[in-house]
Protein backbone atom coordinates (compact mmCIF):
# COMPACT_ATOMS: atom_id res chain seq x y z
CA UNK A 1 0.00 0.00 0.00
CA UNK A 2 3.06 2.19 -0.05
CA UNK A 3 2.97 2.97 3.68
CA UNK A 4 6.18 3.55 5.54
CA UNK A 5 5.98 1.60 8.75
CA UNK A 6 8.27 3.96 10.68
CA UNK A 7 8.47 7.69 9.98
CA UNK A 8 11.93 8.55 8.64
CA UNK A 9 14.01 11.34 10.12
CA UNK A 10 14.09 14.56 8.13
CA UNK A 11 17.12 16.22 9.67
CA UNK A 12 19.91 16.08 7.13
CA UNK A 13 23.67 16.09 7.31
CA UNK A 14 25.52 18.80 5.43
CA UNK A 15 25.86 16.45 2.45
CA UNK A 16 22.07 16.34 2.20
CA UNK A 17 21.59 12.75 3.37
CA UNK A 18 19.20 12.29 6.29
CA UNK A 19 20.32 11.19 9.72
CA UNK A 20 19.09 7.75 10.74
CA UNK A 21 18.20 6.07 14.01
CA UNK A 22 20.31 3.19 15.32
CA UNK A 23 19.03 -0.19 14.10
CA UNK A 24 17.89 -1.31 17.54
CA UNK A 25 15.79 1.84 17.97
CA UNK A 26 14.27 1.41 14.53
CA UNK A 27 13.40 -2.20 15.34
CA UNK A 28 11.80 -1.29 18.69
CA UNK A 29 9.71 1.41 17.03
CA UNK A 30 8.48 -1.13 14.49
CA UNK A 31 7.35 -3.35 17.37
CA UNK A 32 5.61 -0.45 19.11
CA UNK A 33 3.83 0.64 15.94
CA UNK A 34 1.99 -2.66 15.89
CA UNK A 35 0.48 -2.02 19.33
CA UNK A 36 -2.56 -0.07 20.37
CA UNK A 37 -1.85 3.21 22.11
CA UNK A 38 -2.83 1.96 25.56
CA UNK A 39 -0.25 -0.83 25.30
CA UNK A 40 2.39 1.56 23.96
CA UNK A 41 1.88 3.74 27.03
CA UNK A 42 2.00 0.75 29.38
CA UNK A 43 5.36 -0.30 27.98
CA UNK A 44 6.72 3.25 28.06
CA UNK A 45 5.85 3.45 31.75
CA UNK A 46 8.38 0.73 32.56
CA UNK A 47 11.28 2.49 34.30
CA UNK A 48 13.96 -0.17 34.65
CA UNK A 49 16.04 -0.74 31.53
CA UNK A 50 16.58 -4.40 32.31
CA UNK A 51 12.85 -5.14 32.41
CA UNK A 52 11.18 -6.84 29.48
CA UNK A 53 9.32 -4.39 27.25
CA UNK A 54 11.35 -1.38 28.46
CA UNK A 55 11.08 1.37 25.84
CA UNK A 56 14.22 3.46 25.14
CA UNK A 57 13.65 7.22 25.42
CA UNK A 58 14.36 7.64 21.70
CA UNK A 59 11.20 5.62 20.99
CA UNK A 60 9.16 7.62 23.52
CA UNK A 61 10.10 10.81 21.67
CA UNK A 62 9.03 9.18 18.40
CA UNK A 63 5.65 8.12 19.79
CA UNK A 64 4.91 11.50 21.37
CA UNK A 65 5.85 13.40 18.22
CA UNK A 66 3.47 11.19 16.26
CA UNK A 67 0.65 12.08 18.67
CA UNK A 68 -0.08 15.56 17.40
CA UNK A 69 -3.82 15.37 17.29
CA UNK A 70 -5.30 15.22 20.79
CA UNK A 71 -6.97 17.42 23.36
CA UNK A 72 -6.21 18.15 27.01
CA UNK A 73 -8.54 15.39 28.23
CA UNK A 74 -6.69 12.72 26.31
CA UNK A 75 -5.27 10.53 29.07
CA UNK A 76 -2.92 8.50 26.89
CA UNK A 77 -1.34 11.59 25.31
CA UNK A 78 -0.93 13.20 28.73
CA UNK A 79 0.58 10.02 30.17
CA UNK A 80 3.03 9.71 27.27
CA UNK A 81 4.06 13.36 27.58
CA UNK A 82 4.69 12.96 31.30
CA UNK A 83 6.72 9.80 30.73
CA UNK A 84 8.83 11.61 28.14
CA UNK A 85 9.45 14.53 30.47
CA UNK A 86 10.43 12.18 33.27
CA UNK A 87 13.04 10.71 30.92
CA UNK A 88 14.42 14.20 30.25
CA UNK A 89 14.43 15.19 33.92
CA UNK A 90 16.10 11.89 34.80
CA UNK A 91 19.18 13.05 32.91
CA UNK A 92 19.52 16.33 34.79
CA UNK A 93 21.21 17.26 38.08
CA UNK A 94 18.99 15.88 40.82
CA UNK A 95 18.10 18.65 43.26
CA UNK A 96 17.40 16.36 46.22
CA UNK A 97 21.02 15.25 46.26
CA UNK A 98 22.58 18.71 46.37
CA UNK A 99 23.64 19.74 49.87
CA UNK A 100 25.42 23.00 49.09
CA UNK A 101 23.07 25.97 48.41
CA UNK A 102 25.11 27.09 45.39
CA UNK A 103 25.01 23.59 43.87
CA UNK A 104 21.30 23.37 44.59
CA UNK A 105 20.65 26.69 42.88
CA UNK A 106 22.60 25.56 39.81
CA UNK A 107 20.78 22.22 39.70
CA UNK A 108 17.38 23.92 39.95
CA UNK A 109 18.32 26.39 37.22
CA UNK A 110 19.62 23.66 34.90
CA UNK A 111 16.47 21.58 35.37
CA UNK A 112 14.22 24.55 34.71
CA UNK A 113 16.15 25.72 31.65
CA UNK A 114 16.46 22.33 30.00
CA UNK A 115 12.83 21.48 30.72
CA UNK A 116 11.73 24.86 29.38
CA UNK A 117 13.77 24.48 26.21
CA UNK A 118 12.55 20.94 25.63
CA UNK A 119 8.92 21.96 26.19
CA UNK A 120 9.41 24.79 23.72
CA UNK A 121 10.84 22.44 21.10
CA UNK A 122 8.03 19.92 21.56
CA UNK A 123 5.37 22.63 21.28
CA UNK A 124 6.95 24.04 18.13
CA UNK A 125 7.15 20.55 16.69
CA UNK A 126 3.44 20.02 17.29
CA UNK A 127 2.78 23.20 15.37
CA UNK A 128 5.21 22.48 12.58
CA UNK A 129 7.75 19.66 12.25
CA UNK A 130 10.96 20.67 14.04
CA UNK A 131 13.76 18.59 12.59
CA UNK A 132 16.17 19.37 15.45
CA UNK A 133 14.06 17.00 17.56
CA UNK A 134 14.95 14.18 15.17
CA UNK A 135 18.27 13.82 16.94
CA UNK A 136 16.45 13.03 20.20
CA UNK A 137 14.97 10.02 18.38
CA UNK A 138 18.46 8.82 17.52
CA UNK A 139 20.73 9.79 20.44
CA UNK A 140 18.55 10.92 23.32
CA UNK A 141 21.18 11.13 26.08
CA UNK A 142 23.61 13.07 23.91
CA UNK A 143 20.87 15.44 22.76
CA UNK A 144 19.89 16.15 26.36
CA UNK A 145 23.61 16.64 27.14
CA UNK A 146 23.67 19.45 24.59
CA UNK A 147 20.79 21.21 26.30
CA UNK A 148 22.40 20.58 29.67
CA UNK A 149 25.75 22.03 28.59
CA UNK A 150 24.10 25.25 27.46
CA UNK A 151 21.91 25.44 30.56
CA UNK A 152 24.81 24.87 32.95
CA UNK A 153 26.75 27.78 31.50
CA UNK A 154 23.71 30.04 31.54
CA UNK A 155 22.77 28.99 35.06
CA UNK A 156 26.13 30.07 36.35
CA UNK A 157 26.06 33.39 34.54
CA UNK A 158 22.67 34.18 36.05
CA UNK A 159 23.52 33.01 39.56
CA UNK A 160 27.05 34.37 39.96
CA UNK A 161 27.43 37.73 38.35
CA UNK A 162 30.21 38.98 40.61
CA UNK A 163 32.99 36.54 41.38
CA UNK A 164 36.76 36.74 41.68
CA UNK A 165 36.93 35.03 38.31
CA UNK A 166 35.58 38.09 36.60
CA UNK A 167 38.67 39.94 37.70
CA UNK A 168 40.85 37.11 36.42
CA UNK A 169 39.10 37.18 33.06
CA UNK A 170 39.42 40.93 32.82
CA UNK A 171 42.99 41.35 33.98
CA UNK A 172 44.55 37.97 33.39
CA UNK A 173 46.01 38.11 36.89
CA UNK A 174 45.74 35.45 39.55
CA UNK A 175 44.27 36.54 42.86
CA UNK A 176 46.25 33.86 44.70
CA UNK A 177 49.83 34.10 43.49
CA UNK A 178 50.99 31.31 45.77
CA UNK A 179 48.79 28.89 43.86
CA UNK A 180 50.62 29.79 40.67
CA UNK A 181 53.60 27.90 42.05
CA UNK A 182 51.74 24.65 41.48
CA UNK A 183 53.31 22.30 39.03
CA UNK A 184 51.20 21.32 36.08
CA UNK A 185 51.77 17.72 37.09
CA UNK A 186 49.52 18.43 40.08
CA UNK A 187 46.40 16.86 38.67
CA UNK A 188 44.77 15.83 41.93
CA UNK A 189 41.70 17.79 40.91
CA UNK A 190 40.86 14.98 38.48
CA UNK A 191 41.34 12.12 40.88
CA UNK A 192 37.86 12.10 42.36
CA UNK A 193 35.93 12.48 39.14
CA UNK A 194 34.62 8.94 39.50
CA UNK A 195 32.70 10.15 42.55
CA UNK A 196 29.30 11.53 41.64
CA UNK A 197 29.12 14.47 44.04
CA UNK A 198 32.64 15.63 43.19
CA UNK A 199 31.88 15.25 39.49
CA UNK A 200 28.87 17.55 39.82
CA UNK A 201 30.95 20.17 41.63
CA UNK A 202 33.72 19.89 39.04
CA UNK A 203 31.23 20.39 36.20
CA UNK A 204 29.79 23.48 37.84
CA UNK A 205 33.24 24.86 38.61
CA UNK A 206 34.81 24.38 35.21
CA UNK A 207 32.07 26.24 33.32
CA UNK A 208 33.13 29.34 35.26
CA UNK A 209 36.55 29.41 33.63
CA UNK A 210 37.26 31.57 30.58
CA UNK A 211 37.05 29.67 27.24
CA UNK A 212 40.79 29.26 26.67
CA UNK A 213 41.50 28.02 30.18
CA UNK A 214 38.55 25.66 30.05
CA UNK A 215 39.62 24.17 26.75
CA UNK A 216 43.25 23.78 27.77
CA UNK A 217 42.48 22.08 31.08
CA UNK A 218 40.07 19.66 29.44
CA UNK A 219 42.56 18.74 26.72
CA UNK A 220 45.14 18.26 29.44
CA UNK A 221 42.72 15.99 31.31
CA UNK A 222 42.28 14.02 28.08
CA UNK A 223 46.02 13.37 28.12
CA UNK A 224 47.19 15.59 25.26
CA UNK A 225 50.72 17.00 25.28
CA UNK A 226 51.42 20.72 25.14
CA UNK A 227 53.81 20.25 22.22
CA UNK A 228 55.35 17.45 20.24
CA UNK A 229 58.25 16.82 17.89
CA UNK A 230 55.82 14.81 15.76
CA UNK A 231 54.14 17.37 13.48
CA UNK A 232 51.15 15.05 13.03
CA UNK A 233 50.39 14.73 16.73
CA UNK A 234 47.47 16.90 17.86
CA UNK A 235 48.73 19.01 20.76
CA UNK A 236 47.08 21.44 23.16
CA UNK A 237 49.18 24.22 21.72
CA UNK A 238 47.98 23.57 18.16
CA UNK A 239 44.33 23.16 19.06
CA UNK A 240 44.05 26.37 21.05
CA UNK A 241 46.42 28.16 18.65
CA UNK A 242 48.71 29.40 21.41
CA UNK A 243 52.39 28.90 22.05
CA UNK A 244 53.25 25.90 24.27
CA UNK A 245 54.41 28.37 26.93
CA UNK A 246 51.07 30.19 26.96
CA UNK A 247 49.14 26.92 26.90
CA UNK A 248 51.09 25.75 29.96
CA UNK A 249 50.40 29.04 31.71
CA UNK A 250 46.67 28.67 31.03
CA UNK A 251 46.76 25.14 32.37
CA UNK A 252 48.44 26.25 35.58
CA UNK A 253 45.93 29.02 36.03
CA UNK A 254 43.01 26.69 35.40
CA UNK A 255 44.25 24.12 37.91
CA UNK A 256 44.82 26.80 40.51
CA UNK A 257 41.38 28.31 40.04
CA UNK A 258 39.60 24.99 40.03
CA UNK A 259 41.43 23.84 43.15
CA UNK A 260 40.50 27.05 44.88
CA UNK A 261 36.84 26.74 43.95
CA UNK A 262 36.56 23.08 44.86
CA UNK A 263 38.38 23.60 48.16
CA UNK A 264 36.18 26.56 48.98
CA UNK A 265 33.09 24.39 48.63
CA UNK A 266 34.63 21.68 50.79
CA UNK A 267 34.97 24.12 53.67
CA UNK B 1 39.69 20.46 5.78
CA UNK B 2 37.56 19.86 2.70
CA UNK B 3 35.00 22.33 1.36
CA UNK B 4 32.14 20.44 2.99
CA UNK B 5 33.80 20.78 6.39
CA UNK B 6 34.58 24.45 5.94
CA UNK B 7 30.89 25.16 5.27
CA UNK B 8 29.73 23.61 8.50
CA UNK B 9 28.54 25.96 11.19
CA UNK B 10 28.64 25.26 14.92
CA UNK B 11 25.20 23.62 14.94
CA UNK B 12 26.16 21.27 12.09
CA UNK B 13 29.38 20.28 13.78
CA UNK B 14 27.81 19.59 17.18
CA UNK B 15 24.96 17.66 15.53
CA UNK B 16 27.45 15.55 13.61
CA UNK B 17 29.51 14.97 16.74
CA UNK B 18 26.66 13.68 18.91
CA UNK B 19 25.54 11.40 16.08
CA UNK B 20 28.93 9.70 15.86
CA UNK B 21 28.82 6.03 16.77
CA UNK B 22 31.81 6.49 19.08
CA UNK B 23 32.20 9.90 20.71
CA UNK B 24 35.36 9.01 22.64
CA UNK B 25 38.76 10.67 22.63
CA UNK B 26 39.87 9.72 19.07
CA UNK B 27 36.65 11.17 17.62
CA UNK B 28 36.91 14.29 19.76
CA UNK B 29 40.49 14.85 18.59
CA UNK B 30 39.46 14.41 14.96
CA UNK B 31 36.78 17.06 15.39
CA UNK B 32 39.15 19.40 17.21
CA UNK B 33 41.65 19.15 14.36
CA UNK B 34 38.98 19.60 11.68
CA UNK B 35 37.10 22.39 13.47
CA UNK B 36 39.55 24.25 15.74
CA UNK B 37 37.27 27.29 15.63
CA UNK B 38 34.71 25.32 17.67
CA UNK B 39 37.21 23.78 20.09
CA UNK B 40 35.70 25.18 23.29
CA UNK B 41 32.15 24.14 22.31
CA UNK B 42 33.28 20.65 21.35
CA UNK B 43 35.24 20.22 24.55
CA UNK B 44 32.31 21.50 26.64
CA UNK B 45 29.88 19.15 24.94
CA UNK B 46 32.22 16.17 25.21
CA UNK B 47 32.71 16.84 28.93
CA UNK B 48 28.97 17.07 29.50
CA UNK B 49 28.39 13.84 27.57
CA UNK B 50 30.99 11.89 29.55
CA UNK B 51 30.76 13.41 33.04
CA UNK B 52 27.39 15.13 33.19
CA UNK B 53 24.98 12.33 32.46
CA UNK B 54 22.73 11.51 35.36
CA UNK B 55 20.51 8.49 35.57
CA UNK B 56 17.53 8.74 37.81
CA UNK B 57 14.09 7.24 37.59
CA UNK B 58 12.96 8.29 41.03
CA UNK B 59 9.64 10.00 41.71
CA UNK B 60 9.25 13.57 40.53
CA UNK B 61 9.48 16.29 43.16
CA UNK B 62 6.67 18.81 43.57
CA UNK B 63 8.77 21.31 41.64
CA UNK B 64 9.22 18.82 38.81
CA UNK B 65 5.51 18.02 38.80
CA UNK B 66 4.83 21.74 38.40
CA UNK B 67 7.38 21.95 35.55
CA UNK B 68 5.75 19.04 33.73
CA UNK B 69 2.24 20.40 34.30
CA UNK B 70 3.24 23.79 32.88
CA UNK B 71 4.93 22.14 29.90
CA UNK B 72 1.82 20.04 29.20
CA UNK B 73 -0.42 23.11 29.31
CA UNK B 74 1.87 24.79 26.82
CA UNK B 75 1.84 21.72 24.61
CA UNK B 76 -1.93 21.25 24.50
CA UNK B 77 -2.43 24.95 23.79
CA UNK B 78 -0.68 24.56 20.42
CA UNK B 79 -2.87 24.18 17.38
CA UNK B 80 -1.40 21.24 15.50
CA UNK B 81 -0.20 22.14 12.04
CA UNK B 82 -0.37 20.16 8.83
CA UNK B 83 -3.20 18.02 7.57
CA UNK B 84 -4.69 15.76 10.17
CA UNK B 85 -6.32 12.57 9.16
CA UNK B 86 -6.59 10.35 12.25
CA UNK B 87 -7.82 7.29 10.44
CA UNK B 88 -5.83 7.85 7.26
CA UNK B 89 -2.63 8.06 9.28
CA UNK B 90 -3.15 4.61 10.78
CA UNK B 91 -0.57 2.14 9.56
CA UNK B 92 -1.60 -1.24 8.16
CA UNK B 93 -0.34 -3.01 11.26
CA UNK B 94 -2.43 -0.69 13.45
CA UNK B 95 -5.50 -1.37 11.32
CA UNK B 96 -4.92 -5.07 11.93
CA UNK B 97 -4.73 -4.39 15.67
CA UNK B 98 -7.99 -2.45 15.58
CA UNK B 99 -9.57 -5.23 13.63
CA UNK B 100 -8.52 -7.77 16.26
CA UNK B 101 -9.49 -5.51 19.18
CA UNK B 102 -13.07 -5.09 17.88
CA UNK B 103 -13.34 -8.61 16.43
CA UNK B 104 -14.34 -7.10 13.11
CA UNK B 105 -12.96 -7.69 9.62
CA UNK B 106 -10.51 -5.13 8.39
CA UNK B 107 -12.85 -4.10 5.57
CA UNK B 108 -15.02 -2.37 8.19
CA UNK B 109 -12.15 -0.09 9.18
CA UNK B 110 -11.23 0.48 5.54
CA UNK B 111 -14.78 1.72 4.98
CA UNK B 112 -14.48 4.06 7.96
CA UNK B 113 -11.09 5.28 6.77
CA UNK B 114 -12.53 6.06 3.34
CA UNK B 115 -15.44 7.87 5.02
CA UNK B 116 -17.98 5.62 3.31
CA UNK B 117 -20.08 5.29 6.47
CA UNK B 118 -22.89 7.60 7.61
CA UNK B 119 -21.73 8.68 11.05
CA UNK B 120 -25.24 8.98 12.46
CA UNK B 121 -25.75 5.27 11.78
CA UNK B 122 -22.92 4.26 14.14
CA UNK B 123 -23.55 3.78 17.87
CA UNK B 124 -21.92 6.33 20.16
CA UNK B 125 -20.40 3.58 22.28
CA UNK B 126 -18.55 2.21 19.24
CA UNK B 127 -17.35 5.69 18.26
CA UNK B 128 -16.12 6.41 21.78
CA UNK B 129 -14.32 3.10 21.86
CA UNK B 130 -12.77 3.83 18.45
CA UNK B 131 -11.72 7.27 19.69
CA UNK B 132 -10.02 5.74 22.70
CA UNK B 133 -8.26 3.00 20.77
CA UNK B 134 -6.94 5.28 18.02
CA UNK B 135 -6.00 8.07 20.43
CA UNK B 136 -8.00 10.51 18.31
CA UNK B 137 -10.21 12.99 20.22
CA UNK B 138 -13.91 12.16 19.89
CA UNK B 139 -14.89 15.45 18.25
CA UNK B 140 -12.00 15.23 15.81
CA UNK B 141 -12.94 11.66 14.91
CA UNK B 142 -16.53 12.65 14.18
CA UNK B 143 -15.38 15.60 12.08
CA UNK B 144 -13.04 13.35 10.13
CA UNK B 145 -15.69 10.69 9.49
CA UNK B 146 -18.10 13.36 8.33
CA UNK B 147 -15.78 14.48 5.56
CA UNK B 148 -16.73 13.49 1.99
CA UNK B 149 -16.30 9.85 1.05
CA UNK B 150 -13.11 8.94 -0.76
CA UNK B 151 -12.77 6.50 -3.65
CA UNK B 152 -11.70 3.04 -2.52
CA UNK B 153 -8.09 2.07 -3.16
CA UNK B 154 -9.26 -0.85 -5.33
CA UNK B 155 -11.27 1.48 -7.52
CA UNK B 156 -8.47 3.89 -8.28
CA UNK B 157 -7.62 2.35 -11.67
CA UNK B 158 -7.36 4.61 -14.67
CA UNK B 159 -10.52 5.22 -16.63
CA UNK B 160 -11.53 7.63 -19.33
CA UNK B 161 -14.88 8.09 -17.60
CA UNK B 162 -14.79 10.17 -14.49
CA UNK B 163 -16.20 8.01 -11.68
CA UNK B 164 -19.16 9.19 -9.62
CA UNK B 165 -18.32 10.46 -6.15
CA UNK B 166 -18.62 7.49 -3.78
CA UNK B 167 -21.78 7.41 -1.71
CA UNK B 168 -21.99 7.00 2.00
CA UNK B 169 -23.93 4.03 3.32
CA UNK B 170 -25.17 3.02 6.75
CA UNK B 171 -22.90 1.25 9.18
CA UNK B 172 -25.43 -1.59 9.19
CA UNK B 173 -24.91 -2.07 5.43
CA UNK B 174 -21.13 -2.22 5.89
CA UNK B 175 -21.50 -4.74 8.71
CA UNK B 176 -24.01 -6.86 6.81
CA UNK B 177 -21.68 -6.96 3.80
CA UNK B 178 -18.95 -8.07 6.17
CA UNK B 179 -21.23 -10.89 7.36
CA UNK B 180 -21.40 -9.76 10.96
CA UNK B 181 -23.87 -11.71 13.11
CA UNK B 182 -27.12 -10.07 14.27
CA UNK B 183 -26.17 -9.74 17.94
CA UNK B 184 -22.85 -8.01 17.29
CA UNK B 185 -24.48 -5.91 14.59
CA UNK B 186 -27.15 -4.65 16.98
CA UNK B 187 -24.50 -3.71 19.50
CA UNK B 188 -22.42 -1.83 16.97
CA UNK B 189 -25.30 -0.01 15.33
CA UNK B 190 -27.56 0.70 18.26
CA UNK B 191 -25.27 0.19 21.21
CA UNK B 192 -27.57 -2.54 22.55
Amino acid sequence: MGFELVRSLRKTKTDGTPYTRPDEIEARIEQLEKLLISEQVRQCEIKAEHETDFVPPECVVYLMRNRRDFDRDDDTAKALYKILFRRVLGQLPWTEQEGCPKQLATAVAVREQVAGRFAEMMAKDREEYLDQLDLFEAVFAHSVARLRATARTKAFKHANRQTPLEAIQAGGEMSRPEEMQLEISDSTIFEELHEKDYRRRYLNAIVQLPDDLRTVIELYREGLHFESSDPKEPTISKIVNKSPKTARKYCKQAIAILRGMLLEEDQ
Amino acid sequence: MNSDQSNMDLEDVLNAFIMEEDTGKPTLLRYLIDYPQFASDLVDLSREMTLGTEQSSGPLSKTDEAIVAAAWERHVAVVPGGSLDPLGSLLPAQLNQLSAAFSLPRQVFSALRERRVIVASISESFLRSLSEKTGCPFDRLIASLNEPAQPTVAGSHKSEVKPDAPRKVTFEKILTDAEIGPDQLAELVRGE
Side-chain angles (χ1 to χ4, degrees):
Chain A
M1 291 175 68
F3 281 111
E4 216 176 22
L5 190 58
V6 177
R7 166 175 54 77
S8 299
L9 300 182
R10 298 186 198 172
K11 182 80 177 168
T12 55
K13 304 171 194 172
T14 47
D15 66 4
T17 58
Y19 281 112
T20 53
R21 304 179 189 90
D23 290 345
E24 64 274 17
I25 298 297
E26 201 80 15
R28 188 70 178 98
I29 290 174
E30 277 191 32
Q31 289 176 344
L32 289 161
E33 281 286 25
K34 293 172 186 166
L35 305 174
L36 291 177
I37 287 166
S38 54
E39 178 58 17
Q40 290 174 347
V41 172
R42 187 197 71 77
Q43 294 192 6
C44 288
E45 276 172 343
I46 297 169
K47 291 176 185 168
E49 284 186 43
H50 63 270
E51 277 189 39
T52 312
D53 291 342
F54 173 80
V55 179
E58 287 84 355
C59 304
V60 184
V61 179
Y62 171 90
L63 293 174
M64 190 65 224
R65 292 181 79 196
N66 276 10
R67 292 292 306 279
R68 298 167 69 223
D69 190 20
F70 56 81
D71 56 36
R72 67 175 62 245
D73 299 324
D74 187 321
D75 289 339
T76 54
K78 190 173 184 178
L80 201 55
Y81 190 82
K82 190 171 177 179
I83 291 164
L84 175 56
F85 242 85
R86 184 190 292 274
R87 302 289 184 98
V88 173
L89 292 170
Q91 305 241 339
L92 304 180
W94 211 241
T95 50
E96 277 70 16
Q97 293 167 10
E98 301 292 0
C100 160
K102 197 191 278 184
Q103 297 291 338
L104 177 63
T106 307
V108 169
V110 169
R111 288 177 85 77
E112 286 180 354
Q113 284 183 35
V114 172
R117 177 70 185 125
F118 188 73
E120 181 186 8
M121 291 170 81
M122 286 297 294
K124 277 187 182 166
D125 182 67
R126 193 177 176 214
E127 201 168 33
E128 189 173 4
Y129 196 92
L130 185 68
D131 62 8
Q132 184 62 31
L133 270 174
D134 283 2
L135 302 190
F136 286 78
E137 292 184 23
V139 284
F140 181 81
H142 290 173
S143 299
V144 175
R146 270 189 78 179
L147 298 185
R148 203 172 51 228
T150 307
R152 203 185 293 275
T153 310
K154 277 188 187 171
F156 174 76
K157 282 181 182 166
H158 286 296
N160 304 273
R161 290 192 180 279
Q162 298 296 328
T163 72
L165 286 172
E166 306 243 1
I168 295 167
Q169 281 179 295
E173 293 295 328
M174 291 294 298
S175 57
R176 299 178 194 179
E178 70 281 6
E179 288 184 341
M180 287 301 291
Q181 302 307 313
L182 287 166
E183 290 299 320
I184 285 183
S185 60
D186 178 11
S187 53
T188 51
I189 56 164
F190 306 135
E191 284 175 0
E192 292 178 59
L193 280 175
H194 61 278
E195 201 270 312
K196 196 183 267 185
D197 181 58
Y198 183 84
R199 199 162 61 229
R200 289 196 183 106
R201 291 192 290 132
Y202 177 86
L203 285 165
N204 289 341
I206 198 166
V207 294
Q208 301 177 49
L209 296 179
D211 283 0
D212 282 343
L213 270 64
R214 206 168 66 237
T215 305
V216 166
I217 187 83
E218 283 294 279
L219 296 175
Y220 176 68
R221 184 172 67 83
E222 288 282 1
L224 269 69
H225 297 119
F226 287 97
E227 57 189 321
S228 170
S229 54
D230 177 0
K232 288 183 182 171
E233 182 183 337
T235 62
I236 299 175
S237 168
K238 278 188 214 164
I239 291 169
V240 297
N241 198 25
K242 302 284 180 193
S243 70
K245 187 181 171 188
T246 303
R248 280 198 180 86
K249 181 182 142 196
Y250 284 178
C251 194
K252 279 185 180 180
Q253 287 184 332
I255 288 175
I257 296 167
L258 282 174
R259 280 196 62 180
M261 290 166 74
L262 292 165
L263 279 172
E264 192 181 316
E265 284 187 4
D266 277 341
Q267 289 164 359
Chain B
M1 187 185 297
N2 63 38
S3 60
D4 192 41
Q5 286 171 333
S6 65
N7 288 332
M8 288 174 79
D9 62 17
L10 177 62
E11 280 295 300
D12 293 332
V13 172
L14 297 185
N15 285 341
F17 182 67
I18 64 171
M19 290 294 288
E20 290 284 349
E21 202 163 320
D22 176 2
T23 53
K25 183 178 165 184
T27 307
L28 174 63
L29 286 181
R30 177 161 56 83
Y31 273 71
L32 289 171
I33 292 164
D34 287 345
Y35 311 104
Q37 69 275 34
F38 304 133
S40 64
D41 295 282
L42 282 163
V43 165
D44 286 347
L45 178 57
S46 170
R47 180 181 60 249
E48 197 63 58
M49 284 161 61
T50 52
L51 297 181
T53 298
E54 306 267 346
Q55 283 294 342
S56 175
S57 57
L60 296 181
S61 67
K62 284 188 177 176
T63 310
D64 289 336
E65 293 279 6
I67 287 174
V68 177
W72 169 250
E73 285 303 317
R74 179 180 190 171
H75 199 67
V76 291
V78 169
V79 177
S83 87
L84 293 168
D85 180 3
L87 290 170
S89 63
L90 288 174
L91 298 163
Q94 291 172 311
L95 277 178
N96 288 339
Q97 287 288 318
L98 273 181
S99 174
F102 283 99
S103 301
L104 286 171
R106 195 169 137 162
Q107 70 193 75
V108 174
F109 296 97
S110 297
L112 289 165
R113 189 160 80 163
E114 290 156 8
R115 283 92 170 195
R116 288 189 282 111
V117 186
I118 297 166
V119 179
S121 68
I122 309 172
S123 72
E124 184 177 335
S125 59
F126 175 81
L127 289 169
R128 292 220 173 264
S129 186
L130 184 62
S131 160
E132 184 190 332
K133 286 186 168 55
T134 56
C136 173
F138 186 74
D139 292 346
R140 176 68 201 164
L141 178 68
I142 301 300
S144 175
L145 291 172
N146 269 325
E147 285 176 18
Q150 298 169 350
T152 58
V153 174
S156 61
H157 58 275
K158 283 188 177 178
S159 168
E160 291 183 3
V161 182
K162 190 179 176 184
D164 292 334
R167 283 190 194 165
K168 294 204 179 209
V169 297
T170 62
F171 197 33
E172 186 170 355
K173 170 84 168 76
I174 297 288
L175 296 172
T176 305
D177 289 349
E179 299 180 344
I180 302 300
D183 291 347
Q184 193 182 4
L185 189 146
E187 183 186 336
L188 295 166
V189 174
R190 290 180 285 277
E192 292 171 352

